[in-house]
Amino acid sequence: MHLLNLGILAHVDAGKTSLTERLLHTVGVIDEIGSVDDGNTRTDTLALERRRGITIKSAVVSFQIDDVTVNLIDTPGHPDFIAEVERVLGVLDGAVLVVSAVEGVQAQTRVLMRTLRRLGIPTLLFVNKIDRRGARQDGLLREIADRLTPAIVPMGTAEGLGTPGAHFTPGLAPSALDVLASQDDDVLSAYADGTLSHDRLHAALVSLTRRAQVHPVYFGSAITGAGVPELVAGIGELLPSADGDAEGPVSGTVFKVERGPAGEKVAYARIFEGTLRTRDRVPFGAAGTEDAARKEGRVTAITVFDHGTDVRDDAVPAGRIARLWGLSDVRIGDTIGEPRGTQGHFFAPPTLETVVVPGADTDRGKLHLALGQLAEQDPLIDLRHDEVRRELSVSLYGEVQKEVIQATLADEYGLDVTFRETTTICVERPAGSGTAVECNKKDDNPFLATVGLRVDPAPTGSGVDFRLEVELGSMPYAFFKAVEDTVRETLGQGLCGWRIPDCTVTMTHCGYSPRQSHAHQGFDKSMSSTGYDFRGLTPLVLVEALRRAGTRVYEPMHAFRVEAPADTLGALLPVLTSLRAVPESTETRGGVCVLTGAVPAGRVHELGRRIPGLTRGEGELESAFDHYAPITYGTVPTRSRTDHNPLDRREYLLNMTRRVGS
């Protein structure tokens, strides 16, 4: 049996969920096609998805194409839910990227295609809505080649564009030969020799598609079904099967977590190697986690996806996707069994956050629990609890995500909330180098520990590097580990309250009080160092080193691209300036102007809102996170702390309940 884990991706409103419904109908999984407008589609199962007509959570459904079992994963199209797409990409064997024949290539389409190409995921393109007025073919193919990839192979032609009778006639276009010959020297030689056969050309198409070097393009309509049978045939023939040794050690990845009817955790996992069985006890944890820190659980039940539904099974072999019960502490992104290496982020983390304000009758404890469960399903929500102000904050990609969180809390938990104004998530970076040291039993150090640290700047993206300038054997390893773990935790809040993502921290001094006990008595904590002493002292030393180094606050910047009528440029530029955007290049193509540059992430929503009015509704904005830039204007933004505030020594020591009485 051949397996294929297939993702359906698109810009919002390109018709992705409608195409999923049509595919399921074409292969015989459903008898009646659901409608997004009517809220009865197979993959949009959440009440909120049906009500809003958008996909929020990925969904899996299975069907058969000849001897190939396809696990189809429908993903969100709205940019605010890009994190959901990111989790799915790591488990795909192939993808279908949907483009509207009317709206064409959109900003999100470009982001998705860039990522698919970077990951080497074989991808077919489906141009949807050929029955809609304004549908294009030749112009759209040029747009795809210009804005997505030139390595496209039209698999036929669309006829009757813009009418209910629009249909797709299969057959390789002459341009296909040029694309295939440019990627395959054997095809080029055979063509030059006059020996190129249809079978040889087809074999090259299959091979190059499976290696993600070319991308076949189909035209059709999810509403009428035009072109969908040809797409189904292409999925079964052109995309590669899942591989993996079912007899090897178990290795899988969790890409989705949900709660079952009884509140139990259910993990969606792709098994890459081995066979996982019920009652198996398996280790799991985040990729890159040390073996000692990984958790272990017993799989109590398994369901696999088959013929449009999920069915109970005793085992799930390599290549398949399954739902797993019993792993109570599992989180999204966890590796099950043997680690497969660290999987990096494909998209930028959220750059916005907001404070959740409970309604007058809303129980704060229940709200905290509910938000914690939502964070399990979407870790990038990054729930943040400020105990001093009794405030809960969540991270966001955009305003739509805020509305969805609000509606979910109301519908599923019966909790009424509002939100404060959305703010930008900044970062801090050391401006220079700084050192600090506190010695055991000296000055006003109440902790039985000596800790000296030096903080140095580090290149962007390098992360936090912890080093030692002291002998590893000079004190128990557990104390070094306590210092390192506390350093990494403390760097989550710099001098201005923002995370410090990149720096080098070197331990320059260390010391401890050896284990002591009174005669005929046990261990005396008041005379002997413990891990608590090092965890308590390290934040004080680290923030003092940071004070001496100084830090600068950086705000997230988006690279933007505005395409608008050239005669509207005069109206656009002043607005860009008022939003602190920095134009970098301007290109005019006939009557169209393309403007690129950088704009603060916090101003992207406002820019998108104003562009239609400035460009007679013809302007198009594309933006994506690009970098962090130092803030050089106005008051430097700060963020309230959620720790014991080591910046205020007296307050910090009062909050530490042990050994601070003196």
Side-chain angles (χ1 to χ4, degrees), residues 44 47 52 100 147 230 252 330 375 404 444 521 545 563 571:
D44 285 346
R52 294 184 63 103
S100 168
R147 302 189 62 189
E230 289 79 9
V330 74
V404 167
D444 61 344
Q521 296 183 20
E563 188 171 310

Side-chain angles (χ1 to χ4, degrees), residues 46-52 54-57 81 259 356 366-367 369-375 377-378 381 400-417 419:
L46 299 178
L48 185 58
E49 291 178 313
R50 296 177 184 273
R51 193 164 64 244
R52 294 184 63 103
I54 61 173
T55 302
I56 298 170
K57 296 292 182 183
F81 307 107
R259 292 273 176 174
V356 183
K366 291 181 179 178
L367 175 59
L369 179 63
L371 287 171
Q373 291 188 1
L374 292 184
Q377 299 169 27
D378 184 356
I381 284 180
V400 172
Q401 191 178 9
K402 182 194 290 186
E403 297 170 15
V404 167
I405 291 173
Q406 183 180 34
T408 302
L409 289 173
D411 294 350
E412 298 185 15
Y413 298 93
L415 300 173
D416 174 38
V417 302
F419 298 92

Side-chain angles (χ1 to χ4, degrees), residues 281-563:
R281 194 164 187 85
V282 291
F284 60 89
T289 303
E290 295 181 5
D291 289 342
R294 302 188 82 203
K295 299 173 183 176
E296 206 170 64
R298 187 181 301 279
V299 178
T300 58
I302 295 174
T303 63
V304 296
F305 295 92
D306 190 29
H307 291 87
T309 186
D310 61 316
V311 295
R312 282 293 181 106
D313 206 329
D314 292 330
V316 51
R320 298 208 74 161
I321 289 175
R323 300 170 75 211
L324 310 176
W325 279 258
L327 308 180
S328 58
D329 295 321
V330 74
R331 294 179 62 86
I332 289 173
D334 279 358
T335 294
I336 296 175
E338 294 291 323
R340 299 184 62 248
T342 303
Q343 177 179 298
H345 289 296
F346 310 134
F347 303 105
T351 55
L352 305 172
E353 72 176 351
T354 185
V355 174
V356 183
V357 181
D361 299 325
T362 298
D363 184 281
R364 290 177 179 269
K366 291 181 179 178
L367 175 59
H368 191 281
L369 179 63
L371 287 171
Q373 291 188 1
L374 292 184
E376 289 175 356
Q377 299 169 27
D378 184 356
L380 292 180
I381 284 180
D382 191 25
L383 180 63
R384 192 169 182 270
H385 186 202
D386 184 340
E387 295 182 0
V388 176
R389 294 170 178 78
R390 299 188 68 202
E391 292 179 348
L392 292 167
S393 301
V394 291
S395 302
L396 302 168
Y397 277 100
E399 296 299 314
V400 172
Q401 191 178 9
K402 182 194 290 186
E403 297 170 15
V404 167
I405 291 173
Q406 183 180 34
T408 302
L409 289 173
D411 294 350
E412 298 185 15
Y413 298 93
L415 300 173
D416 174 38
V417 302
T418 56
F419 298 92
R420 290 196 193 151
E421 183 181 359
T422 302
T423 57
T424 303
I425 301 176
C426 299
V427 298
E428 286 183 64
R429 301 191 190 282
S433 298
T435 59
V437 61
E438 296 227 14
C439 296
N440 188 359
K441 302 177 182 177
K442 289 189 178 180
D443 300 324
D444 61 344
N445 175 13
F447 300 102
L448 294 180
T450 294
V451 175
L453 299 172
R454 183 176 69 249
V455 175
D456 297 298
T460 299
S462 61
V464 175
D465 185 16
F466 183 78
R467 301 176 180 179
L468 297 178
E469 277 187 2
V470 293
E471 292 292 334
L472 187 58
S474 57
M475 66 179 186
Y477 172 75
F479 295 161
F480 286 113
K481 189 70 168 66
V483 172
E484 179 179 357
D485 290 347
T486 307
V487 162
R488 296 184 184 279
E489 181 182 347
T490 305
L491 289 174
Q493 301 179 80
L495 301 183
C496 294
W498 305 107
R499 182 174 65 93
I500 299 177
D502 307 301
C503 69
T504 300
V505 178
T506 305
M507 191 169 187
T508 58
H509 298 75
C510 70
Y512 74 108
S513 294
R515 182 184 180 94
Q516 298 185 41
S517 61
H518 298 290
H520 310 296
Q521 296 183 20
F523 172 51
D524 187 349
K525 291 183 180 180
S526 67
M527 302 169 58
S528 312
S529 297
T530 65
Y532 171 84
D533 291 290
F534 289 91
R535 289 191 295 272
L537 182 59
T538 297
L540 291 173
V541 178
L542 182 58
V543 298
E544 183 58 32
L546 284 170
R547 273 199 184 100
R548 296 174 182 178
T551 63
R552 297 185 70 182
V553 176
Y554 288 65
E555 66 178 338
M557 302 291 291
H558 278 221
F560 73 84
R561 180 182 186 275
V562 175
E563 188 171 310

